[in-house]
Each structure stands twice: as structure tokens, then as C-alpha cells.
Amino acid sequence: MGDPFPNPHATKAKTNSKRKIIFFAAGTGLVLLAGVLLFQTFNAKTGAAGEDKSAGTVRISGNQTSARSQPVAKVGSVVISEDELARECIALYGPEVLENVINRAIIEQACQKAGVNVEQAEVHAEVEKIAKRFNLDTKTWYEMLQAERKMNPNQYRRNVIWPMLALRKLAGQRTNLTQEQVQKAFVRDYGPRVKARMIMMDNLSRAQKVWDDVKKNPADFERFARDYSIEPNSRALGGAIQPIPQYSENESLWKAAFKLKEGEVSGIVQIGLSRYAILLCEGRTEPIVSSLEEVKNQLVDQLTEEQTQEAVARVFAKLKEQTRVDNYITGTTTGGVSQTSGTNFSNGQSGQSGGPSPSPTLGLNGSPR
């Protein structure tokens, strides 16, 4: 299990920096939580972002090569052809790359049906907008992507930015933020946090036994954490974890933490599937930002981005249900739910008949590679 705890309470500058990183993830692949926008560099047609990426047709049949196959290397008297290279690439990367190309084709078809078009100017403007979030010019931003993600500008515009903008248009960009949502985000990101130590267990009966021992000897909490916790990072630190904010993702965890006074031990808290935590409260952090007005604009931008991501994820999931895909490499057929002309992408409602075919999980991590 990964680290389920948020970043420690830091200065306002550090918090803003962290928020910028979140914007980077959102800006370079708006469907981060769904993990469906990681399109690879392979595209057999002119991208909607403008660049012609046609690579020609390759036929592979035994040791035969097509008339267009060119040599790519020579080892002694042995010539290695494009066909042979293509065959190896398909064997190693075919399913994943094809899935990514399929994803783009699904979006392109939906755009054609909905009359949605993304202009080159919009793509370039979005890149500039993202770069400015880091106080960088576009050239420096591209250089960073090339160095850190091995992605050149054309790939980035075609395989990340264009799909993101297309799905935004299909989803619509209407948001409905409430004052309560903004206030909770402020408390989550800037409010006091509970400083705590934790013992994590994967078995309720063992957790009960450890809890009994901890309640008898709370001063030995660190030793119990080192001896029994299954979470390796905090275990090595005697159960020390990052301060827990209110309204964070793990509701069970933060609710239990905020009930504790300094020095108190929690009950057994189920924080996930077969995951049980025992907390020792060590006090609260002091807020750095005291007024919502100081950071309201950043919070509104952040929450708007989050709502847009959720809408885009719903739209893309619906498109995958509605589009029949025959994948000859994996031998699977997915999607194919019929769609009426009255489909409303933005609210996820559509006239459908039948149920969706099972769709394979994409092995993508949501960040440019």
C-alpha cells in the first residue's frame, strides 16, 4: 500500500508550489485520476494539432519484407529491415501503443460527430498557459519535457494537449462551485493538521492484540510501530507520519485523528481494504495562512480544474462504452453501446440500448512519458 497521507503542513510558498505541481499533472493530461490520456508517439495520420505524422504502411509476413521496407542496420552480411524492426516493436510494445492510438481515435470520432474542432492556436495557447504556471517560457518548458519526459514538442502537442482540449470541449467547462467547497478546500490545504504516529496492520485480530498492548503502554508506541506496523516508511521512523489535514481523501483517517487530544491513542481505524490503523496524537500544526481571501483565487482555480477533470473522465468513459473497438493484437472486442443523436456529453446522459461490453483496464499512469 502506498503512502496514504498528505504532504506535511508547510509555508505558504511551499503550499503554492505543491499546488502548481498538481496543475502540471492536470495540464499535461487532464484525466489524471482516470489515467486515459497518455497517448504515445505513434499516430498513423495527421494529428488534429496540425503536424503530419504519417509513417507509411508496413507489412510483416514471415521473413518477407514489403517493397517500402528499408534497411535500418547491417551486421556483417546480415541486413536488418524496417519490417523486422517493426515486428520486434509490435511484439514488445504493440498492445500498449495500440491502446493509446485507439483512445485518440475514439476522441477524434466523437469530435467529428459533435462538430468539435481544436485549432492549432488553441493548442499553442494552452502550452503557453501551462508554461506560465511555472514562470517558464514555452521554449524552456519544451526543453524540460524533452529532458525529463523524453517527449518532443510535436508529441506533447499532439498526444497530450490536443486530446485534453478536445475532451474539455466534449465535456463542457461548466462548473458549479459552492462556498462550502471552497471553505473545505481552504481548511484542507491551509488549516491545522494533526501530528501523529501510526501503526498499520493488515489483519483485524492482530490489530486488536496490538491495540490492547498499546493501550496498556502508550509510552512504548514507537517500539510497537517498529515491531508490528506493515507500512515500511513510517515503521522505520517509529510510526511517524506526515501531519493529517482535515477533509483529506481518507475520511476515516482524518475524522479519527481530529477527535484525539495530544497524547491520546485512537481506536482501531479501518482506512482501506484490509488496512487498519492505530494513531497516537502528538498535537496540531499551526496554520500559516489565516485568511481565505489570501488564497481564494488559487483555490477556485484548483477546484475548477478538479471538477473539469471529473467531467472529462466521465465523458471519456462513456465514449469507450459507446464505441466498438476490435483489437486484433489482443483478440478482444470492447464497447459498442449504441448512441442516439440526443447524447448529452456534459451531463453523462445518453440514449443507450443494451449494456456496455467489458473494457480492459489501461496500463497508463496519467503522466507524459
Side-chain angles (χ1 to χ4, degrees):
M1 179 178 179
D3 187 353
F5 308 105
N7 290 333
H9 194 77
T11 62
K12 179 180 178 181
K14 289 184 178 178
T15 304
N16 290 338
S17 176
K18 177 183 70 175
R19 187 57 55 204
K20 287 183 179 180
I21 296 302
I22 291 176
F23 276 135
F24 165 67
T28 55
L30 190 60
V31 200
L32 280 186
L33 298 179
V36 294
L37 280 188
L38 223 239
F39 296 88
Q40 300 286 347
T41 63
F42 299 80
N43 188 20
K45 58 195 287 189
T46 301
E51 293 80 18
D52 186 357
K53 299 302 171 188
S54 178
T57 302
V58 177
R59 292 188 325 221
I60 302 176
S61 177
N63 292 324
Q64 298 179 1
T65 60
S66 69
R68 297 180 63 182
S69 180
Q70 300 294 322
V72 294
K74 186 175 181 181
V75 183
S77 60
V78 176
V79 175
I80 301 174
S81 69
E82 284 181 339
D83 280 357
E84 292 174 278
L85 178 60
R87 182 166 57 249
E88 292 292 331
C89 288
I90 289 175
L92 289 172
Y93 308 110
E96 180 181 353
V97 172
L98 178 58
E99 185 72 13
N100 296 330
V101 176
I102 286 170
N103 289 341
R104 182 182 178 91
I106 289 172
I107 297 173
E108 288 178 340
Q109 288 185 12
C111 287
Q112 291 171 2
K113 290 179 181 179
V116 167
N117 187 40
V118 178
E119 302 291 344
Q120 285 192 49
E122 295 176 82
V123 174
H124 288 286
E126 184 67 18
V127 175
E128 291 179 2
K129 178 181 176 182
I130 293 170
K132 285 180 180 178
R133 288 173 180 166
F134 296 89
N135 296 318
L136 299 174
D137 57 44
T138 304
K139 181 175 181 294
T140 305
W141 178 247
Y142 281 140
E143 289 173 350
M144 188 188 76
L145 288 172
Q146 182 71 58
E148 297 186 7
R149 303 292 183 176
K150 309 303 179 187
M151 177 176 286
N152 68 43
N154 286 343
Q155 293 166 352
Y156 180 60
R157 290 192 295 266
R158 183 185 70 243
N159 301 330
V160 176
I161 300 300
W162 181 86
M164 176 186 70
L165 294 177
L167 281 172
R168 276 183 182 175
K169 288 189 174 185
L170 289 171
Q173 298 191 33
R174 296 188 299 274
T175 58
N176 186 27
L177 292 179
T178 65
Q179 181 62 34
E180 181 183 9
Q181 288 174 310
V182 177
Q183 180 63 40
K184 285 184 176 180
F186 174 71
V187 173
R188 179 192 65 197
D189 292 349
Y190 298 95
R193 304 184 178 194
V194 176
K195 296 184 288 186
R197 292 182 183 269
M198 176 197 69
I199 300 172
M200 183 186 292
M201 307 292 293
D202 58 1
N203 180 281
L204 183 56
S205 62
R206 285 198 295 271
Q208 183 66 54
K209 183 180 183 305
V210 172
W211 183 82
D212 290 338
D213 292 339
V214 168
K215 290 295 288 185
K216 294 175 185 175
N217 303 283
D220 291 335
F221 193 97
E222 293 184 41
R223 177 175 63 82
F224 287 123
R226 290 191 178 95
D227 290 343
Y228 298 110
S229 182
I230 65 167
E231 208 288 306
N233 294 327
S234 61
R235 177 179 181 172
L237 300 173
I241 60 174
Q242 296 171 351
I244 303 170
Q246 196 171 9
Y247 302 120
S248 51
E249 280 189 23
N250 199 312
E251 185 175 0
S252 298
L253 184 71
W254 68 256
K255 281 188 173 182
F258 276 84
K259 290 178 180 178
L260 300 175
K261 296 179 181 178
E262 185 172 353
E264 287 185 340
V265 175
S266 73
I268 299 172
V269 184
Q270 184 166 2
I271 60 173
L273 183 62
S274 297
R275 290 294 182 269
Y276 306 93
I278 303 168
L279 300 174
L280 170 66
C281 178
E282 296 187 324
R284 304 283 179 94
T285 62
E286 290 293 329
I288 302 300
V289 179
S290 58
S291 171
L292 171 61
E293 294 304 316
E294 292 183 54
V295 292
K296 187 173 182 178
N297 291 338
Q298 295 98 300
L299 288 173
V300 169
D301 288 345
Q302 168 203 332
L303 293 173
T304 300
E305 191 87 6
E306 290 173 359
Q307 285 195 358
T308 303
Q309 288 181 33
E310 292 170 1
V312 164
R314 289 194 300 269
V315 167
F316 188 70
K318 184 67 66 178
L319 290 177
K320 285 179 70 67
E321 289 180 3
Q322 295 169 341
T323 307
R324 177 185 170 114
V325 175
D326 297 305
N327 189 321
Y328 302 130
I329 287 184
T330 61
T332 60
T333 296
T334 60
V337 177
S338 61
Q339 174 183 328
T340 68
S341 59
T343 296
N344 186 330
F345 286 114
S346 62
N347 62 18
Q349 297 176 350
S350 62
Q352 299 176 354
S353 63
S357 301
S359 180
T361 300
L362 301 183
L364 307 179
N365 63 12
S367 60
R369 291 190 291 202

